[in-house]
Amino acid sequence: MRDDTSKGMVGARPTMGGELGEVGLPLEELVRRGARDILQRAIEAELEVLLDEFASVSLIDGRRAVVRNGYLPAREILTTVGPVEVQVPKVRDRTGAGVKFSSTLAPPYVRRSARVAAALPWLYLKGISSGDLGEALEVLVGARGLSPAALGRLKAHWSADYQGWAGRCLEGKEYAYWWVDGIYTTLRESDDPRLCLLVIIGVTADGTKEWVAISDGLRESTESWLDVLRDLKERGLKVGPRLAVGDGALGFWSAIEQVYPETVHQRCWFHKMGNVLAALPKSLQGKAKGDLQAIWMAATRKGAVRAFERFLSRYGAKYPKATEKLVKDRDALLAFYAFPAEHWVHLRTTNPIESTFATVRHRTSRTKNCVTRTTFLGLAFKLAEEAAKTWRRIRAPEKVAELLRGARYNDGLPVTDDPPEEQRNAA
């Protein structure tokens, strides 16, 4: 992440006061974690506009007349999602004319805003146009006057943060699992409705989740996904994940065969069940759903195959389109059986991505703005970055390191090269 400290700053930027508590809604937690950073960046953007106005005013010796001069003491703005600590910067006018910096976002008299919980989601999810962002910030602090120039600087910070992250070195990185998806939103960089976010979440050796890639492109396009994967490899990710989980309609699968051919493919059961049930009459969907669950809930691969064949025999004659959707991905639907049983709950679906972006989809459905590519990706990155703060490690994280060291599994249990006990006794 980029550090926005500059000459004249006193100490490090303040952090949000207090520990983050439990809140009712995921979006409210995201808002609380992001409130302090977004306010501080907006105030810094206002200051830069003031300094630019006086950039041409110099003393006789050539020094700038108006310069930064540290910060006022940190103070809290009380909000309905908790206290948010900010620091307002100061300027020094060497001419003695009395030029001062006064933030329109955090003037001295502002201590509370009862409507901030409604403003911050708007700030994050609708605040990509100058008009919307200015209005949201006005509701946030009860102040007016955030200029287009300050808004532009704020969005530039988001884009710069994204560019720095997207170009990070990946030398020595290794992932056990990837979840992959293409996320549609109504926030887009053109009128092409197919354009979406191409996202990858990975699991590292200690079992933690992290963002691997956030880019833009066409969900079903092999070329779009090739651009993403080749970029990862060029930045040092020499080995692909042991297993990748995603929807079968993605262009990702053809791309990963070319870039990381050693990766095992696992189709998302959530997407697959939806596709299969959609090809059946509504009167049968309840029973068919139970029959499908019997496949992926089986304790062994052999049991899953039996349930698989049972489903085909029950529905294949009358509803071949439904069973064909299942048959074409048979092996990829059952790939998880070759991995630790403790991880199966994570590997059968792309839920980490679905749950992360559920709120984004809901809120952005109200906005149909077309934005620049840099703004689109910068906003998406800030949303993703905040959402990741709530992630937990996967179950049995110690199994991840074993897997990366070469451990093999059958029906979720470790496979050893030692002969069975009865064979050793006979010998």
Side-chain angles (χ1 to χ4, degrees):
M1 295 293 295
R2 196 173 91 171
D3 185 358
D4 288 322
T5 56
S6 59
K7 187 176 180 180
M9 173 177 270
V10 179
R13 284 188 169 185
T15 56
M16 184 183 297
E19 295 294 328
L20 292 174
E22 294 295 328
V23 286
L25 298 175
L27 183 59
E28 290 181 353
E29 185 174 354
L30 181 152
V31 164
R32 183 177 176 183
R33 291 171 180 268
R36 181 234 158 266
D37 182 64
I38 201 69
L39 272 174
Q40 192 69 45
R41 283 177 180 267
I43 292 169
E44 295 289 337
E46 284 186 302
L47 174 66
E48 292 299 324
V49 172
L50 175 69
L51 294 177
D52 285 349
E53 290 178 2
F54 291 91
S56 60
V57 181
S58 302
L59 302 179
I60 296 177
D61 59 5
R63 292 180 300 160
R64 293 184 59 164
V66 180
V67 296
R68 297 183 66 119
N69 189 31
Y71 285 80
L72 293 170
R75 63 188 177 88
E76 289 184 345
I77 296 177
L78 298 180
T79 76
T80 55
V81 293
V84 177
E85 187 177 75
V86 297
Q87 270 190 298
V88 177
K90 299 186 297 181
V91 299
R92 178 184 177 190
D93 181 8
R94 291 166 169 160
T95 67
V99 176
K100 295 182 179 181
F101 171 67
S102 179
S103 171
T104 61
L105 301 177
Y109 57 84
V110 171
R111 288 293 183 269
R112 174 183 292 274
S113 174
R115 292 179 292 171
V116 71
L120 275 172
W122 195 3
L123 176 65
Y124 268 98
L125 302 174
K126 281 195 67 174
I128 52 170
S129 71
S130 296
D132 286 342
L133 185 54
E135 187 176 351
L137 286 172
E138 181 180 340
V139 174
L140 171 62
V141 295
R144 303 185 64 177
L146 186 66
S147 69
L151 294 177
R153 290 181 182 276
L154 187 58
K155 290 185 284 187
H157 280 307
W158 296 344
S159 298
D161 286 346
Y162 169 74
Q163 293 297 331
W165 177 83
R168 71 199 186 284
C169 178
L170 297 174
E171 291 285 349
K173 275 286 186 181
E174 194 172 13
Y175 296 99
Y177 307 121
W178 277 0
W179 293 282
V180 184
D181 207 351
I183 305 299
Y184 289 105
T185 77
T186 54
L187 302 178
R188 57 188 186 276
E189 63 168 293
S190 72
D191 290 328
D192 187 348
R194 297 177 300 160
L195 199 63
C196 67
L197 289 171
L198 307 181
V199 297
I200 301 174
I201 297 174
V203 176
T204 60
D206 63 354
T208 58
K209 304 169 191 172
E210 68 178 31
W211 289 106
V212 179
I214 301 172
S215 188
D216 59 341
L218 303 180
R219 191 176 189 273
E220 295 80 13
S221 168
T222 299
E223 287 303 316
S224 289
W225 284 104
L226 276 173
D227 289 343
V228 173
L229 298 182
R230 286 169 177 165
D231 178 63
L232 294 175
K233 198 161 193 175
E234 288 171 0
R235 287 190 282 118
L237 189 62
K238 303 305 181 185
V239 180
R242 300 298 187 270
L243 180 78
V245 187
D247 179 17
L250 295 174
F252 168 83
W253 301 112
S254 296
I256 200 169
E257 285 285 358
Q258 299 179 48
V259 182
Y260 299 116
E262 70 280 2
T263 296
V264 177
H265 300 192
Q266 170 65 48
R267 294 293 185 271
C268 170
W269 269 99
F270 176 81
H271 286 96
K272 180 58 66 177
M273 287 178 66
N275 293 337
V276 172
L277 293 177
L280 292 170
K282 288 187 177 180
S283 60
L284 291 178
Q285 288 181 5
K287 178 175 175 54
K289 183 177 180 181
D291 291 337
L292 288 170
Q293 289 175 334
I295 302 175
W296 55 264
M297 288 293 289
T300 65
R301 195 179 192 282
K302 184 179 292 185
V305 169
R306 286 196 298 267
F308 201 105
E309 295 299 332
R310 186 163 56 247
F311 186 92
L312 298 182
S313 65
R314 285 180 179 176
Y315 303 98
K318 293 184 179 180
Y319 310 103
K321 289 185 178 180
T323 54
E324 285 170 7
K325 294 177 182 293
L326 206 59
V327 171
K328 72 185 184 71
D329 289 326
R330 180 196 295 258
D331 290 339
L333 286 167
L334 304 180
F336 68 88
Y337 282 103
F339 293 85
E342 295 89 342
H343 298 168
W344 289 358
V345 66
H346 305 290
L347 304 182
R348 291 182 290 223
T349 76
T350 53
N351 183 62
I353 291 179
E354 293 291 329
S355 58
T356 296
F357 281 92
T359 299
V360 179
R361 282 195 180 103
H362 172 68
R363 294 294 298 178
T364 57
S365 65
R366 305 182 184 184
T367 304
K368 300 187 181 301
N369 295 355
C370 289
V371 299
T372 65
R373 180 176 187 270
T374 54
T375 298
F376 176 72
L377 291 173
L379 178 62
F381 173 66
K382 298 309 291 184
L383 286 166
E385 186 180 49
E386 291 303 320
K389 294 177 181 178
T390 66
W391 288 347
R392 298 178 180 178
R393 291 200 297 175
I394 69 171
R395 295 181 181 179
E398 69 281 358
K399 298 285 186 179
V400 179
E402 296 173 6
L403 183 68
L404 291 175
R405 288 195 296 266
R408 294 178 295 117
Y409 293 82
N410 181 41
D411 288 336
L413 302 177
V415 174
T416 65
D417 295 326
D418 297 332
E421 184 177 355
E422 57 269 19
Q423 293 185 18
R424 293 198 303 269
N425 292 338

